[in-house]
Amino acid sequence: MRGSPLFLCVFSVSCWMNLMPTAGDRIFHFGACRVSISMTEIRAGFTAIKANIVSICQAPGGLGEPLEPLWSQQLHSSDRCCITYQLFTFYVDKVFKHCRTEDSFVNRKISSIANSFLSTRRKLGQCREQNNCLCGEESTEKFKQILANYEGLNVTSAAMKSLGELDILLDWMEKSR
Amino acid sequence: MPPELICFFLCALSAPNLSGGDALLPAPQSISILSTNMKHFLTWSPVIVQGETVRYSVEFQGEYEREYANGSWIPISECSLTTATVCNLTEDISAPVAYKLRVRAELGATRSQWGTTKGFFNRAMTSLTPPVLRAMADGHHLLVELADMGPSLQFRVLYWRKGQESRVQQKVVKEVSSVVHLDTMEAGAEYCVKAQTHVQAINRSSSFSPTQCVRAQGDTSVWLVTALISSAGFAVAALTLPFLTWKISKIFQYCCCPAAVLPDTLKESEPPTQLILRGSEEVEQCDLKVVVMPSEEVLQLWIQKAL
């Protein structure tokens, strides 16, 4: 039959497409609170600048280390929401503003990530208002450690280091979703 | 008027000229953002200086820069000192926040003041156009070809059998690969397709494209093909059957009643009648009729002769 090869081709292409990650927003459920986060855009921005950031920040150790025991745990949705909110706030309030490089391209990508984080933080704030975003004792304690470690470092290097660790946060968010 | 006051007025009037010659080069006017299908462009009307090439530089500011980074502006390197009066903002307006854009003219060391967009621009304000599509029937498969409109756009394709508008089916096409399979069609039926562009990130859709209908390969054509093939078959059969019959009869004839050819030696040149005639003389000579009479008859004959 004349049409069979064409049909097979179309069919296989559509199968292949289903395996590809979908572009756009991802919906995160924090209890009753639903937040759509443009993970693809944040990831794309981060991937574009990761190599540049790694070469900038040479300081050893990870700032997110205190949170590491939590990454592998099954957390309550409220705890997950709280950690996400706290980390997004941390990045918006303390990190991005000190991440200025000589490279205009890197600065533009950082702006893109910062603006995405700002809009996401705002959405997570709505979950907080609905009391779906309360931190447990453990995560509150861990978070205090992160802030203490951060304040102890030089502002710019601490900011760039935190930016370099952004993918740990993104990986955890997608894994625990 | 006191001299201090005169000086103040003079200073105030000359101040703009001292700070970079702003008055010499006017700022670009008619600054606007053209945004279609999530592709954003800044345009402005050119600043004309006779005999000179004016260059332009564009900067953007997101909500983050306004609220957390002291209202800083970020230059777009592709649109720094450009002679074009359009700048592609698609890569930079990537977050769902309100952006401001500004552009200034530059001529040598002289720079104009910044001309800033009126109001804010959010990517959700983009205008969405319906997709360009082509419905196709490939045998019994309903296919649709969609023109690529960029990575962040999806298509919501609606299709239905004509006359069954209440049973509309939907397929969301996330990535365009020229041709997409929609459904298997019933033979001979007409199917219709229309589609709209959808952007998940801003949760908005365009209006629908004009409806396109195609007819599936129908029963009539199948019947026609069958009829053609069978009539051709009959014609072939009509030609071959007599030949086959003749051939088979020939074979049978050969098997059962073979046409034996006499060797030449067996063939007689004289006609067989002579043979028979000659033979008959000899046979008649040899086979003389001997009548054996019974003894009573011989006795009777002898008595008759004696009498």
Side-chain angles (χ1 to χ4, degrees):
Chain A
M1 196 176 164
R2 184 181 57 88
S4 297
L6 177 63
F7 171 65
L8 262 177
C9 178
V10 169
F11 183 72
S12 57
V13 166
S14 45
C15 285
W16 174 74
M17 281 191 323
N18 288 338
L19 299 172
M20 293 202 344
T22 51
D25 289 19
R26 293 258 172 115
I27 308 290
F28 289 83
H29 295 265
F30 300 112
C33 195
R34 285 170 76 250
V35 178
S36 84
I37 304 173
S38 49
M39 293 297 276
T40 319
E41 278 146 18
I42 295 171
R43 278 238 188 246
F46 182 73
T47 310
I49 57 166
K50 190 173 182 183
N52 301 55
I53 299 165
V54 170
S55 66
I56 292 165
C57 59
Q58 299 291 333
L63 278 168
E65 267 173 18
L67 277 175
E68 269 171 25
L70 295 181
W71 291 154
S72 52
Q73 281 180 29
Q74 268 293 3
L75 294 167
H76 189 264
S77 72
S78 181
D79 228 13
R80 276 196 302 122
C81 178
C82 171
I83 292 171
T84 313
Y85 177 81
Q86 295 286 6
L87 283 172
F88 270 62
T89 304
F90 167 71
Y91 274 97
V92 168
D93 288 347
K94 295 187 185 292
V95 176
F96 296 131
K97 69 173 80 175
H98 299 295
C99 295
R100 282 284 174 268
T101 68
E102 297 297 310
D103 191 334
S104 158
F105 174 75
V106 174
N107 289 343
R108 283 158 72 188
K109 290 294 169 196
I110 293 170
S111 159
S112 167
I113 299 168
N115 279 294
S116 293
F117 264 58
L118 178 63
S119 99
T120 307
R121 205 266 305 260
R122 205 169 282 159
K123 290 175 197 166
L124 288 165
Q126 290 165 5
C127 292
R128 260 166 82 88
E129 283 168 20
Q130 296 164 24
N131 289 331
N132 286 313
C133 223
L134 299 169
C135 266
E137 211 173 293
E138 194 185 1
S139 41
T140 312
E141 200 53 47
K142 302 283 182 197
F143 207 77
K144 275 182 189 162
Q145 280 181 41
I146 288 181
L147 282 179
N149 292 350
Y150 186 83
E151 307 291 348
L153 287 169
N154 163 282
V155 175
T156 314
S157 65
M160 294 310 285
K161 197 166 178 53
S162 305
L163 187 62
E165 289 177 28
L166 197 74
D167 53 348
I168 302 171
L169 166 65
L170 301 178
D171 288 346
W172 170 73
M173 282 172 69
E174 293 202 284
K175 202 178 74 185
S176 64
R177 192 159 69 108
Chain B
M1 194 180 277
E4 293 88 354
L5 205 61
I6 295 166
C7 180
F8 172 77
F9 274 120
L10 278 171
C11 289
L13 282 168
S14 61
N17 290 334
L18 291 170
S19 62
D22 292 335
L24 292 173
L25 200 62
Q29 301 291 310
S30 323
I31 302 160
S32 59
I33 293 170
L34 300 176
S35 175
T36 311
N37 299 327
M38 297 297 274
K39 291 187 185 76
H40 325 295
F41 295 89
L42 185 76
T43 63
W44 56 91
S45 58
V47 174
I48 293 157
V49 178
Q50 285 298 319
E52 300 284 353
T53 308
V54 178
R55 294 177 182 275
Y56 307 92
S57 292
V58 178
E59 293 184 351
F60 73 92
Q61 183 188 66
E63 221 167 317
Y64 177 81
E65 284 77 30
R66 261 194 310 284
E67 291 179 17
Y68 293 88
N70 308 319
S72 60
W73 292 81
I74 297 168
I76 299 176
S77 44
E78 292 85 357
C79 309
S80 283
L81 295 173
T82 175
T83 52
T85 56
V86 62
C87 176
N88 190 350
L89 311 167
T90 312
E91 283 292 309
D92 294 295
I93 298 187
S94 56
V97 296
Y99 284 89
K100 258 191 175 291
L101 278 302
R102 68 180 188 181
V103 58
R104 75 175 170 198
E106 297 183 33
L107 185 61
T110 315
R111 290 166 171 177
S112 77
Q113 284 192 321
W114 288 103
T116 311
T117 46
K118 287 183 185 71
F120 294 101
F121 177 76
N122 193 308
R123 63 180 189 175
M125 289 152 76
T126 192
S127 63
L128 299 175
T129 61
V132 177
L133 66 86
R134 191 164 69 93
M136 292 179 288
D138 187 32
H140 289 266
H141 301 294
L142 177 61
L143 307 175
V144 67
E145 190 180 37
L146 291 152
D148 192 7
M149 289 167 76
S152 52
L153 275 75
Q154 298 180 356
F155 300 101
R156 191 179 285 153
V157 184
L158 300 186
Y159 56 97
W160 62 95
R161 192 180 160 162
K162 203 169 185 179
Q164 295 184 350
E165 276 77 5
S166 56
R167 283 198 282 166
V168 174
Q169 285 179 287
Q170 180 182 298
K171 185 161 193 155
V172 175
V173 180
K174 287 181 177 165
E175 301 249 347
V176 173
S177 62
S178 69
V179 181
V180 179
H181 178 254
L182 291 178
D183 205 354
T184 307
M185 300 189 283
E186 280 174 47
E190 197 172 8
Y191 284 76
C192 297
V193 181
K194 68 176 178 180
Q196 67 178 167
T197 311
H198 179 75
V199 183
Q200 203 191 17
I202 59 170
N203 197 23
R204 274 186 54 211
S205 300
S206 75
S207 57
F208 276 101
S209 64
T211 304
Q212 275 192 28
C213 298
V214 284
R215 192 174 286 280
Q217 194 181 66
D219 278 340
T220 46
S221 55
V222 170
W223 182 84
L224 201 73
V225 169
T226 319
L228 271 171
I229 290 169
S230 41
S231 56
F234 273 121
V236 170
L239 284 170
T240 37
L241 263 177
F243 173 76
L244 274 173
T245 322
W246 174 75
K247 197 76 193 167
I248 289 164
S249 68
K250 275 291 209 185
I251 291 164
F252 270 102
Q253 202 180 0
Y254 177 78
C255 293
C256 305
C257 326
V261 181
L262 281 171
D264 290 341
T265 44
L266 290 176
K267 283 183 183 164
E268 286 292 337
S269 49
E270 292 163 68
T273 44
Q274 284 182 343
L275 247 176
I276 293 160
L277 276 174
R278 194 174 57 193
S280 69
E281 283 171 3
E282 281 171 20
V283 169
E284 276 167 12
Q285 278 172 359
C286 295
D287 298 342
L288 279 173
K289 194 177 172 184
V290 179
V291 181
V292 181
M293 283 186 172
S295 53
E296 295 105 69
E297 275 182 45
V298 175
L299 193 68
Q300 273 178 355
L301 277 171
W302 182 71
I303 293 165
Q304 277 173 1
K305 276 184 181 173
L307 289 170

